[in-house]
Amino acid sequence: MFTDHLQEQEMEIEALEAILMDEFKEIHSGESGLSTSNRCFQITLSPQDDDTDQATTTPVQLALVFSHTEKYPDEPPLLNVKSIRGIQTSDLKILKEKLEQEASENLGMAMIYTLVTSAKEWLSERYGQDAEAEDAEEEEAKDEVIIPHGEPVTLDTFMAWRERFEAELALERAKLMPESALTAPKEKRLSGRQWFESGRASAKGAAPVNEGSDEEDEEDIDFDDDDFEDDEEDMLEHYLAEKSDSSTHSSKRTA
């Protein structure tokens, strides 16, 4: 029976050497951390695929140390885990307990490669995700937040702009209207918009608006008729008052 155990152990070591290659090596029992004088072996694990060669740049790296007992695989192997790079002591304790539990569940069969696979999966889950999260945070930190400049548009600022715009537009229309339209009684007077829409502006020889000009853009804006009524009335009254004052001063100078 002892011969069968030893033969099975030797076959497992040969298989591990063939599969793991440079990641598998025999070490002295004094550096294994195990209480044994039997042959000891160390397997280096990283949270990455076996076919990658990035061990020198991996942020974390683990050493899984084992030694066959006399009756292995009918009894668990001696196990130890060590941090080569970046693994916390508390995590090593958790992993060792996990592997010892799995070893007790796989008695009767060669189990070292099963334990290697389990340790590598745990390493990837525990540290691989952390590394990805850190990378994501770094990328997010690199992204510049673009802060818009200028005065933000609010309802109050929009209404103030609209009032200025309507008043300026009414005044420009008033300047283009003939004297007869401006001096007519208020009840018969056409608003600037009504006068322009009636076609009298073109009939009186008003200057055409160049295509693409600001004036054309203003004419294309679709407002309700009542939008301009109050502003146009106020601006017309103001314009007429200015013209009246101007005429009075001219008459006095002539006299």
Side-chain angles (χ1 to χ4, degrees), residues 96-156:
K96 184 178 180 181
E97 292 175 354
K98 170 182 171 63
L99 296 178
E100 288 175 342
Q101 177 63 31
E102 291 188 12
S104 64
E105 296 172 356
N106 286 276
L107 294 178
M109 63 181 71
M111 66 183 76
I112 298 299
Y113 190 74
T114 299
L115 300 180
V116 167
T117 302
S118 179
K120 199 162 193 176
E121 290 176 353
W122 176 89
L123 196 60
S124 296
E125 292 174 359
R126 176 65 182 88
Y127 288 94
Q129 290 181 355
D130 288 350
E132 292 176 1
E134 290 177 1
D135 291 342
E137 290 177 359
E138 290 178 0
E139 290 297 326
E140 185 176 351
K142 291 179 182 178
D143 294 336
E144 294 184 0
V145 178
I146 300 176
I147 301 176
H149 298 283
E151 182 181 357
V153 178
T154 64
L155 180 60
D156 292 338

Side-chain angles (χ1 to χ4, degrees), residues 22-23 46 48-58 61:
D22 293 340
E23 295 178 349
S46 301
Q48 58 191 22
D49 295 334
D50 292 334
D51 57 353
T52 60
D53 186 18
Q54 300 176 347
T56 57
T57 59
T58 303
Q61 205 167 37

